[in-house]
Amino acid sequence: MPPTTHRRKKISQKELRAPDELTTLVDSARDFLVNNLTQVLISTAVVVIVGATVIGVYYYERHRDIIVSARFYDAITALNAGQNKLAETQFKQLADEEPGRRLGRLARFYMASAYLADGDLPDARDSLVAFLAEERDPLFRSLALANLAVVYERMADWKKAAGAYQQAAADPGPEQARAELG
């Protein structure tokens, strides 16, 4: 095997004195910053303010979700304890004050359960109709339609009961078989 020869590149004095790429980059960045200091400071302030606003809104909404969850839990606890009037009041407040949140919309469904347990059929019907107007989850739609059919049955409105049962039977869910029987 022949010996390999390495050629060394000879660097001239001019090349040694020339600035390297990093120095050139740093000098260019410094010049840009000095020449555009006002715009850089304003842009930085805008980015910081927008970021702080987004983070603040996110944590505020999370805090509101926690509060709504606690209120919903209190209302469910009252409903399970048989305190229907208290549950009705708490669910109504949630539904009225938080219509844009998932638990605010679900409050209408459980409010109907409290009305139904109290025998207040017109309010149970109205609550279920309002809930169904907004709900897209097939599980809760099926449950609400089956409950609405029961309310119509108790009100002796057989035609509307049959329609609600037919809709509940068409939606997949836990009440589908019961709705078909209804």
Side-chain angles (χ1 to χ4, degrees):
M1 193 180 252
T4 58
T5 58
H6 293 298
R7 287 183 119 189
R8 295 186 179 193
K9 182 179 176 195
K10 193 171 186 180
I11 300 175
S12 68
Q13 288 289 334
K14 183 178 178 183
E15 290 175 326
L16 283 173
R17 283 190 290 249
D20 64 3
E21 291 178 28
L22 179 63
T23 305
T24 305
L25 178 66
V26 169
D27 288 341
S28 296
R30 187 190 67 217
D31 290 342
F32 176 81
L33 186 62
V34 168
N35 292 335
N36 300 299
L37 184 61
T38 305
Q39 289 89 350
V40 169
L41 289 175
I42 290 172
S43 299
T44 303
V46 166
V47 168
V48 167
I49 290 170
V50 167
T53 302
V54 167
I55 290 170
V57 166
Y58 172 77
Y59 281 107
Y60 173 76
E61 289 299 318
R62 296 230 349 146
H63 174 70
R64 295 281 304 154
D65 286 340
I66 291 168
I67 290 171
V68 169
S69 297
R71 291 176 59 199
F72 189 84
Y73 178 78
D74 290 343
I76 284 284
T77 302
L79 181 64
N80 289 337
Q83 299 171 335
N84 297 328
K85 290 295 184 196
L86 177 61
E88 290 168 16
T89 304
Q90 290 174 334
F91 283 129
K92 178 138 181 55
Q93 286 175 342
L94 267 175
D96 291 344
E97 295 171 8
E98 303 292 343
R101 296 187 192 281
R102 177 76 175 133
L103 291 178
R105 291 188 303 274
L106 276 177
R108 292 201 186 283
F109 175 77
Y110 288 101
M111 183 171 48
S113 297
Y115 285 138
L116 197 54
D118 260 355
D120 187 352
L121 299 177
D123 284 335
R125 177 200 58 216
D126 294 345
S127 184
L128 287 167
V129 168
F131 174 75
L132 287 166
E134 300 172 346
E135 187 58 33
R136 299 293 168 250
D137 184 350
L139 174 71
F140 280 103
R141 283 190 62 77
S142 173
L143 291 167
L145 284 166
N147 286 347
L148 184 60
V150 169
V151 169
Y152 283 138
E153 273 184 17
R154 290 185 183 171
M155 295 175 79
D157 192 341
W158 311 115
K159 186 176 181 181
K160 287 184 180 178
Y165 275 130
Q166 286 173 345
Q167 284 181 309
D171 284 346
E175 297 296 312
Q176 189 174 24
R178 189 179 110 188
E180 288 173 356
L181 291 174

